[in-house]
Amino acid sequence: MDSVVSDATAVSESPAVAGIPAQPGPEGPLLDTEEGAQDWQLDHSRAPIATKIVVAGGFGVGKTTFVRAVSEITPLQTEALMTRASEDTDDLTATPDKLTTTVAMDFGRITLDNDLVLYVFGTPGQQRFWFMWDDLVRGAIGAIVLADTRRLTDCFPALDYFESCGLPYIVAVNHFEGTELFEADDVREALTVPAHVPVVVMDARKRYSVVETLLAMVAHALEATPE
């Protein structure tokens, strides 16, 4: 029995025995040596506050691009190739080069502070996928409604949805290259967005712009539901 215990100890402390890789000892956990780890990841006495934000809007408005631009992990995407079967329902006039569409959700994560981690969920835009919204929104602190000024009416369903369920939201105008740039107040008036709801102009391709939009959403959610 003593020899078995001593052999096991030898395996765990030696570099390698009979092809068995060395095992980390209690004094040197692997996590402590990981490069680029956040402070909260190395501090096992506390955990960050995890929050959830939903990004919604019409078809092809930039939700997948939004999540991809900001996620610090490889984003989960459920993109499917578009086929001729959707020609009558998916309007590609404004986005003729679009070849894929989200059929379930996009998911990403971003650490805004040592104690704040945001999970970002992008909803599918087409009406045939709206039945999934209730599940995606559950537990979210707020939502971002992406708008394209070339087809503002496409974001009305999302605005109506969040107004009806009482979830705090902001409107983010995704400015596409080569299109006319409108002021936030002009978009607010066109969409009849209430004065207390922030409206921002941003670029879903640029990380800093997306981060600023997320921060605006968090600030609005804290103001709307401070508890």
Side-chain angles (χ1 to χ4, degrees):
M1 181 65 70
D2 291 342
S3 62
V4 173
V5 174
S6 60
D7 289 345
T9 303
V11 169
S12 64
E13 294 179 350
S14 62
V17 176
I20 301 177
Q23 304 298 313
E27 301 300 325
L30 291 178
L31 186 59
D32 288 343
T33 62
E34 289 187 356
E35 295 183 2
Q38 302 288 336
D39 291 341
W40 58 264
Q41 292 174 309
L42 304 179
D43 185 354
H44 303 293
S45 64
R46 63 184 177 87
I49 299 172
T51 56
K52 175 181 178 181
I53 285 180
V54 174
V55 182
F59 167 73
V61 77
K63 299 180 294 294
T64 298
T65 302
F66 184 105
V67 175
R68 185 190 302 129
V70 77
S71 180
E72 63 192 17
I73 62 173
T74 302
L76 169 65
Q77 298 176 342
T78 55
E79 294 283 289
L81 287 173
M82 301 182 64
T83 66
R84 291 185 177 179
S86 67
E87 286 181 341
D88 295 333
T89 56
D90 298 335
D91 184 6
L92 292 174
T93 304
T95 54
D97 297 327
K98 186 173 177 60
L99 301 177
T100 62
T101 184
T102 300
V103 296
M105 67 174 181
D106 300 308
F107 170 75
R109 185 190 71 193
I110 177 174
T111 303
L112 290 182
D113 198 357
N114 288 342
D115 293 316
L116 179 60
V117 176
L118 286 183
Y119 296 109
V120 185
F121 288 78
T123 66
Q126 297 98 317
Q127 183 176 354
R128 59 185 178 275
F129 299 123
W130 287 354
F131 70 93
M132 303 171 60
W133 284 24
D134 288 341
D135 290 330
L136 290 176
V137 168
R138 187 175 294 113
I141 64 168
I144 297 171
V145 178
L146 283 186
D148 181 352
T149 54
R150 296 170 296 180
R151 43 204 174 100
L152 284 178
T153 55
D154 288 358
C155 67
F156 279 133
L159 293 174
D160 292 340
Y161 179 86
F162 296 121
E163 281 284 356
S164 63
C165 71
L167 188 70
Y169 70 92
I170 70 171
V171 176
V173 182
N174 185 18
H175 177 59
F176 285 80
E177 187 174 354
T179 63
E180 185 176 355
L181 178 61
F182 291 89
E183 297 295 330
D185 289 340
D186 295 331
V187 176
R188 178 189 302 279
E189 182 178 354
L191 294 175
T192 63
V193 175
H196 69 277
V197 175
V199 177
V200 301
V201 180
M202 50 84 66
D203 188 336
R205 300 169 302 175
K206 299 178 180 178
R207 179 181 174 85
Y208 76 88
S209 185
V210 175
V211 170
E212 289 177 350
T213 304
L214 290 170
L215 289 173
M217 173 65 257
V218 172
H220 178 57
L222 290 174
E223 187 176 296
T225 55
E227 67 277 5

